[in-house]
Amino acid sequence: MYYSMKYKLLLSLIFIAGIASAQSGVVKHRADSLRRQLHYANTAKDSIKILYDIFDTENSSASRRINGKELYDVAKRSKQTNVCLDMLRQRAAASSKDRKALLALRKEAGLLKSSPEVEDTKLFLDLYIIMNEVRNSSDNVRRQNLTNLIARADIGKGSWHSQVKDLYYVCAYLSVEGTPNLLADYLEKLESKINERKDLHYSIKNFYYTAAAIHYMEAGRPFRAVDADKKLLRIISGLEKEYKGKNRKFRNYDVQKYVSYRRMLFNHKALTPEEVKGYYMAALRLKNTNPTVAADFAATPRTEAFYAFASNDYKKALPLLKKVKEMSDSNNIALQRGLLEMIIEAAKATGDNSTANDAITKLETLLENSRTAQNQNLYTELQIKYDVNELQTRNAALEIEKRDNEIAATRNVVWIISAAFFVVLVLVIILYYYYRHARALSRHLSDAVKRLERERDTLNKIQTQLIKARDRAEAANVAKDEFLHSMSHEIRTPLNAIMGFSRLIVNKVPDTLVPKLKNFSNQIVFNTELLEVLINDILYLSSIDTHSPEPSAETTSASTLLSLAAQWASHKVKPGVYVDCRLPSPDIQIRSDRGSIEEVLMKMLSNAAKFTINGSIILECRENKDAGTVSFIITDTGSGIPEGHEEEIFDRFVKLDTFQQGTGLGLYICRRLAETLGGTIYVDKKYRSGARFIFTIPKNISND
């Protein structure tokens, strides 16, 4: 019997090899024929059609990478973006284990002009990169990243593409960690997010449902696995119609469909008898038309075994299942368990007690080992949930602390209002007292009127003189403004020339002198920028002395203002100083003069960067709902403000440190801008580890 089985196996291998050899010969002959046709192509369109046929004919990963690159280059030269995107996706699928190749493809996609298909292709490539990254990361890194991702408060926020990437990151980590329950939950969340887009490119859905069908089957969820395979088949059906309309005669999805049919027959518990028969007949039709499918049928009776068992033909199913069991991967726990359960049921139905008992023993051993693995998986899930809960508890504590601070601030406001009411009451009493005294003084008014009339005549003369002096002052002020604007232009022109020629000199000198001259050039640029800031401050000071600017109202978000300011400040800080931008959650919408707010934030950050040698600069925003205001808070670990000088620094031309650069106008301008916006700016006197400036404005201002 041993030699009989060995002989049959040898014949099967020879048969499969013959089929594969014949198929390889047909494919090579077809590819060679298409290559000859390529020499006679007159246009890029004709070349692309033939190259597509060559690409569809040769299905090995190596051939698809080479042919895909050739087709991509031709399409890029002829500016056919849709073909370029198709080849980027196909090359990614053929290079799924090569991270360097995937990153190169993602870089190429980033150079294309943005469109819905381009953005979806970038996401498709990102998913492959994530899958590769997760597979190659260490256990500790995976666990830490997974915990941080799940605990993040903004995992369901941001752009649609970023949400999909975050959710897939979690699914990829969970699939490696072996946590089927959590994985199933996040697979459903990811599917829900993907289905929000009706115009989503098919490649992303194809990617998701292929992975979901495998994960659900391994997690022992046949209904979810079958549902994923059915959706995958519907996508493939639509693609077949599309390619048929484009005359892509060599493009087919026979193997992908066959794998789905075979997987669904394994998950037959989720199918009706009619569906079982229908999918089996579909697999047989592919067997008769596709050599690769026929080779799989000849190599292993999986499809026939699953169908016979699902059809209750236990007598036929039992030997086939035993053969599949012998040939299957012993590390695939889900497949081994399913096969043993089917063998036990078929053996009992046919009265083969020996086979049933042997399978029961193996199943018990497998289940015992599986229980150990399940316990480990459960422990892993509980550990992840514990870590997540710990992070969420920490965040909740911070939120409670924030609310306590807000309550304390509200209590202070109530006390201030009460004190103000008391002061008003005292003022009313005082006014009543003075009113009574005023009545007593009324008799003196007639004499005062006469004196005033005499003084009026004198004042009229003085007024005339003042009007003349005012006209002369206004003329001088206009001349001053014209002089400042003219000098600003005349100074900026040579400054720009200095910067431009300094860079030009660096670009023209020999390479050996570049580092030194580049340092000189940077010093020139830095000091030129300081001069420009000085000029702008003096111009603004002149402007606000003449008239107060009216703020313009537009709606913006606090996160946008904070992000732009933090990005600007990151280039101004000294080495070793960290800019910490803490975005509000949820975001705060502000209707105010955006330019003035940005000016104040940048001047305060510039001031903080100037006096902070090491440590950090923290930028945050808080909403005061009761007062209808918003506060921007900038905290640094610099030299701080000496006690008693907290108000003096907002005066014009005040510099506490005469050795620091600047004119002493920045904070003065900040306060003037804050007052223009109806707000305030002041120093937090309680903070002594550096300096903390609080800039508070109304959340909404009128356009009037």
Side-chain angles (χ1 to χ4, degrees):
M1 182 176 179
Y2 169 77
Y3 289 105
S4 176
M5 288 182 63
K6 185 175 181 181
Y7 177 70
K8 289 180 181 179
L9 179 60
L10 180 61
L11 287 177
S12 298
L13 293 173
I14 293 173
F15 177 69
I16 294 169
I19 292 175
S21 178
Q23 182 186 14
S24 176
V26 171
V27 169
K28 187 177 185 306
H29 176 74
R30 184 183 298 159
D32 291 342
S33 175
L34 290 169
R35 286 284 177 188
R36 288 193 293 272
Q37 293 179 30
L38 191 60
H39 294 296
Y40 301 100
N42 296 320
T43 64
K45 183 177 180 181
D46 294 336
S47 298
I48 288 175
K49 173 65 175 65
I50 297 171
L51 287 171
Y52 254 132
D53 288 341
I54 295 173
F55 181 82
D56 293 340
T57 299
E58 300 185 39
N59 290 322
S60 70
S61 296
S63 298
R64 293 178 77 81
R65 286 195 296 270
I66 296 171
N67 296 332
K69 180 65 168 63
E70 182 180 6
L71 179 50
Y72 175 84
D73 291 338
V74 174
K76 187 176 181 180
R77 288 195 297 271
S78 58
K79 297 182 179 180
Q80 297 197 32
T81 306
N82 59 327
V83 179
C84 290
L85 294 173
D86 186 24
M87 285 302 101
L88 287 175
R89 295 189 295 268
Q90 297 291 347
R91 290 162 63 193
S95 308
S96 60
K97 296 181 180 180
D98 189 343
R99 179 173 178 78
K100 185 176 180 181
L102 291 172
L103 292 173
L105 294 173
R106 180 61 176 82
K107 184 177 180 181
E108 290 182 37
L111 300 176
L112 298 175
K113 185 178 180 181
S114 180
S115 70
E117 186 177 356
V118 169
E119 296 306 315
D120 287 348
T121 300
K122 291 178 184 177
L123 176 59
F124 179 81
L125 297 172
D126 287 337
L127 296 180
Y128 265 106
I129 292 171
I130 291 170
M131 179 176 68
N132 183 281
E133 174 190 334
V134 171
R135 287 177 177 174
N136 295 319
S137 59
S138 65
D139 293 341
N140 292 335
V141 171
R142 281 199 301 267
R143 178 70 56 80
Q144 185 61 43
N145 290 346
L146 176 60
T147 302
N148 292 337
L149 269 172
I150 297 178
R152 268 175 47 188
D154 60 344
I155 192 171
K157 300 177 182 178
S159 68
W160 181 89
H161 288 84
S162 65
Q163 292 181 51
V164 171
K165 286 195 290 186
D166 284 345
L167 288 171
Y168 181 67
Y169 253 123
V170 175
C171 292
Y173 281 125
L174 290 174
S175 67
V176 178
E177 286 292 327
T179 51
N181 296 322
L182 275 177
L183 175 59
D185 293 340
Y186 277 92
L187 281 172
E188 291 179 8
K189 292 180 181 179
L190 179 55
E191 181 180 13
S192 176
K193 180 57 62 178
I194 286 175
N195 288 331
E196 288 180 5
R197 282 271 308 278
K198 302 301 180 184
D199 60 338
L200 183 63
H201 195 269
Y202 78 88
S203 59
I204 296 175
K205 291 187 176 182
N206 199 334
F207 181 96
Y208 167 76
Y209 286 118
T210 300
I214 296 171
H215 292 322
Y216 280 129
M217 183 186 74
E218 292 176 348
R221 302 197 177 191
F223 288 91
R224 296 294 297 170
V226 167
D227 181 64
D229 270 316
K230 287 181 177 180
K231 291 175 179 176
L232 179 60
L233 288 171
R234 284 198 290 271
I235 294 172
I236 292 175
S237 177
L239 289 174
E240 287 178 331
K241 293 179 182 178
E242 179 182 343
Y243 288 134
K244 185 176 181 181
K246 294 179 179 179
N247 198 25
R248 296 257 308 261
K249 54 187 175 182
F250 299 119
R251 180 63 169 159
N252 69 75
Y253 287 87
D254 290 350
V255 175
Q256 291 90 327
K257 290 192 294 184
Y258 170 67
V259 171
S260 290
Y261 296 151
R262 189 179 63 198
R263 190 163 47 231
M264 287 194 291
L265 289 174
F266 178 77
N267 294 309
H268 60 273
K269 294 179 181 179
L271 300 174
T272 64
E274 293 77 13
E275 288 177 323
V276 169
K277 183 175 181 181
Y279 290 130
Y280 176 69
M281 297 305 295
L284 287 181
R285 287 193 293 272
L286 293 177
K287 171 190 173 185
N288 296 329
T289 58
N290 188 287
T292 303
V293 176
D296 185 78
F297 261 91
T300 173
R302 284 178 293 184
T303 307
E304 294 177 335
F306 298 155
Y307 173 67
F309 183 83
S311 303
N312 297 327
D313 189 353
Y314 299 123
K315 187 174 182 180
K316 179 180 178 181
L318 184 57
L320 296 175
L321 290 170
K322 291 167 70 176
K323 185 176 180 181
V324 172
K325 174 70 173 61
E326 292 174 1
M327 301 175 67
S328 61
D329 181 9
S330 60
N331 293 323
N332 192 332
I333 305 300
L335 177 62
Q336 291 293 321
R337 178 176 178 175
L339 288 171
L340 287 172
E341 289 175 348
M342 287 190 279
I343 289 172
I344 292 170
E345 184 176 342
K348 288 182 177 180
T350 56
D352 190 347
N353 295 328
S354 175
T355 299
N357 292 333
D358 180 61
I360 289 171
T361 302
K362 292 179 179 178
L363 180 60
E364 288 177 350
T365 303
L366 181 67
L367 290 176
E368 183 63 31
N369 295 334
S370 179
R371 273 192 290 272
T372 302
Q374 287 176 354
N375 290 337
Q376 181 61 37
N377 293 342
L378 180 59
Y379 172 78
T380 301
E381 287 190 9
L382 291 174
Q383 184 64 39
I384 292 172
K385 290 181 178 179
Y386 172 79
D387 293 341
V388 170
N389 288 335
E390 187 176 12
L391 283 174
Q392 290 176 341
T393 301
R394 196 179 306 160
N395 293 337
L398 292 174
E399 185 65 25
I400 292 172
E401 182 180 354
K402 177 183 175 182
R403 291 180 181 176
D404 289 342
N405 291 335
E406 291 176 352
I407 292 171
T410 303
R411 190 182 297 113
N412 291 336
V413 170
V414 171
W415 279 107
I416 291 171
I417 293 174
S418 300
F421 177 77
F422 177 76
V423 170
V424 169
L425 182 60
V426 172
L427 288 174
V428 169
I429 295 172
I430 293 172
L431 287 173
Y432 179 72
Y433 172 79
Y434 278 107
Y435 169 73
R436 294 188 61 183
H437 280 273
R439 292 183 62 184
L441 295 174
S442 62
R443 61 181 177 271
H444 301 293
L445 287 178
S446 59
D447 296 336
V449 168
K450 292 177 181 179
R451 288 196 304 272
L452 287 174
E453 287 176 349
R454 290 192 299 270
E455 292 175 359
R456 180 192 62 191
D457 296 336
T458 303
L459 288 174
N460 286 336
K461 294 178 182 179
I462 296 173
Q463 183 180 13
T464 302
Q465 295 173 354
L466 289 176
I467 289 173
K468 293 179 180 179
R470 182 202 63 190
D471 293 339
R472 289 194 299 271
E474 288 179 350
N477 192 48
V478 170
K480 178 200 70 174
D481 289 342
E482 292 177 353
F483 172 76
L484 288 175
H485 283 287
S486 175
M487 288 303 297
S488 170
H489 174 73
E490 294 301 322
I491 292 173
R492 280 197 178 99
T493 299
L495 285 179
N496 291 332
I498 290 170
M499 284 194 295
F501 280 106
S502 68
R503 291 194 179 101
L504 182 61
I505 290 171
V506 173
N507 293 333
K508 294 298 183 179
V509 299
D511 293 342
T512 55
L513 299 176
V514 166
K516 188 172 183 180
L517 289 180
K518 190 171 184 180
N519 183 41
F520 294 158
S521 175
N522 290 337
Q523 289 296 324
I524 292 171
V525 171
F526 174 76
N527 286 280
T528 302
E529 290 177 350
L530 289 178
L531 284 175
E532 287 183 341
V533 171
L534 173 61
I535 292 168
N536 291 334
D537 287 348
I538 292 174
L539 286 175
Y540 180 78
L541 186 62
S542 173
S543 173
I544 60 177
D545 283 343
T546 305
H547 65 281
S548 296
E550 290 292 329
S552 61
E554 64 175 308
T555 301
T556 186
S557 72
S559 293
T560 301
L561 294 170
L562 293 176
S563 298
L564 289 174
Q567 184 178 5
W568 179 87
S570 64
H571 300 290
K572 301 294 182 181
V573 296
K574 297 176 177 61
V577 178
Y578 171 67
V579 179
D580 185 2
C581 180
R582 300 178 180 178
L583 302 181
S585 177
D587 202 356
I588 304 170
Q589 298 298 316
I590 304 171
R591 180 172 177 78
S592 188
D593 190 326
R594 175 173 175 172
S596 296
I597 297 174
E598 291 178 348
E599 183 70 14
V600 173
L601 292 178
M602 289 181 182
K603 285 188 180 297
M604 289 198 297
L605 284 171
S606 176
N607 201 54
K610 187 189 303 180
F611 292 97
T612 303
I613 299 175
N614 53 51
S616 65
I617 298 174
I618 302 173
L619 175 60
E620 56 186 324
C621 180
R622 298 177 182 174
E623 181 180 3
N624 311 308
K625 294 185 178 179
D626 294 337
T629 60
V630 174
S631 295
F632 294 89
I633 304 170
I634 297 178
T635 306
D636 63 58
T637 58
S639 56
I641 309 299
E643 189 172 355
H645 295 273
E646 290 85 359
E647 281 299 316
E648 179 185 349
I649 60 174
F650 290 101
D651 292 338
R652 186 186 299 190
F653 299 112
V654 171
K655 290 177 61 178
L656 299 181
D657 186 354
T658 57
F659 294 99
Q660 287 287 349
Q661 293 175 337
T663 61
L665 290 175
L667 291 177
Y668 172 76
I669 292 173
C670 287
R671 174 159 282 185
R672 289 297 299 270
L673 285 172
E675 292 171 351
T676 301
L677 297 176
T680 60
I681 182 170
Y682 61 93
V683 176
D684 185 356
K685 298 180 181 179
K686 297 179 181 178
Y687 181 76
R688 308 311 302 175
S689 298
R692 174 177 290 156
F693 288 81
I694 301 175
F695 168 42
T696 302
I697 58 172
K699 185 178 179 182
N700 295 285
I701 65 171
S702 173
N703 270 326
D704 299 335

